[in-house]
Amino acid sequence: DLLINVTSFFRDPSVFDALEATAIPELIERLPQHQALRVWVAGCSTGEEAYSIAMTCRDAIKASGKDIKLQVFASDVDADAIAAAREGLYSLEIVGAVTADRLARYFVRDDAGYRVAASLRGDVVFTVQDLLTDPPFSKIDLITCRNLLIYLNSEAQAQVISLFHFALREKGL
């Protein structure tokens, strides 16, 4: 088992509160019944961002009362990081970073820490992907790339931003 040691990644108020309060509910409102909400977490590393987004989306879908399926695609160039993300095992430190309600609904405590519940892991597909050479996902409603662009030079950043525009549905975010 791969245990991921995290401190406060699961709950960044400035980012996730804004997504939770307005952006994700607006995306869901625009979706027709039975259409999937498609999210791409580019540069997902060990999965914290992908799982945080998935929890936020699931809660917003439930609040909307709509019959919407969630599809989160999470990619990273680092195969070891993707293996850790798929495992979904995080240290006990997430107790201070994840609300008690979400911890109870989306995680299972085991001897090594907290494991993402199978139902949530089923909403997230992790894959090894090099954004600069591999084809992008398509028809995406929301793309996040926390801390990804800082690792790229300006030419590569422009290439990735163009790729994101291509991957987004009309009125995607």
Side-chain angles (χ1 to χ4, degrees):
D1 283 348
L2 299 170
L3 178 66
I4 301 164
N5 188 13
V6 296
T7 53
S8 63
F9 190 94
F10 279 97
R11 192 82 178 127
D12 180 347
S14 63
V15 174
F16 290 101
D17 287 349
L19 284 171
E20 188 170 30
T22 51
I24 291 172
E26 287 174 7
L27 288 171
I28 292 167
E29 181 62 32
R30 289 194 299 251
L31 285 175
Q33 286 279 76
H34 312 295
Q35 183 171 318
L37 175 64
R38 294 171 54 88
V39 178
W40 178 13
V41 180
C44 71
S45 186
T46 54
E48 295 93 334
E49 179 180 355
Y51 290 126
S52 295
I53 295 288
M55 287 184 279
T56 301
C57 289
R58 274 184 143 207
D59 290 348
I61 290 168
K62 183 177 180 183
S64 77
K66 292 177 93 171
D67 184 12
I68 301 275
K69 181 180 177 177
L70 176 61
Q71 297 175 333
V72 178
F73 306 100
S75 63
D76 199 281
V77 71
D78 184 339
D80 291 335
I82 291 295
R86 286 181 182 139
E87 190 71 24
L89 181 60
Y90 298 94
S91 71
L92 296 174
E93 294 176 9
I94 69 167
V95 170
V98 178
T99 65
D101 177 55
R102 283 190 173 159
L103 195 63
R105 287 185 292 131
Y106 296 122
F107 292 87
V108 177
R109 172 91 190 258
D110 72 16
D111 294 338
Y114 284 93
R115 185 175 306 278
V116 177
S119 60
L120 185 64
R121 281 197 333 253
D123 289 340
V124 184
V125 175
F126 289 99
T127 188
V128 176
Q129 178 189 44
D130 183 337
L131 286 173
L132 300 175
T133 60
D134 295 332
F137 295 97
S138 63
K139 298 181 182 174
I140 299 296
D141 296 296
L142 172 66
I143 299 174
T144 67
C145 59
R146 178 185 172 130
N147 294 331
L148 170 71
L149 296 176
I150 63 172
Y151 296 105
L152 304 175
N153 65 32
S154 59
E155 183 179 303
Q157 288 175 354
Q159 182 180 349
V160 168
I161 295 296
S162 177
L163 178 134
F164 288 164
H165 280 279
F166 173 79
L168 283 171
R169 282 184 179 155
E170 187 176 330
K171 297 186 180 180
L173 177 62

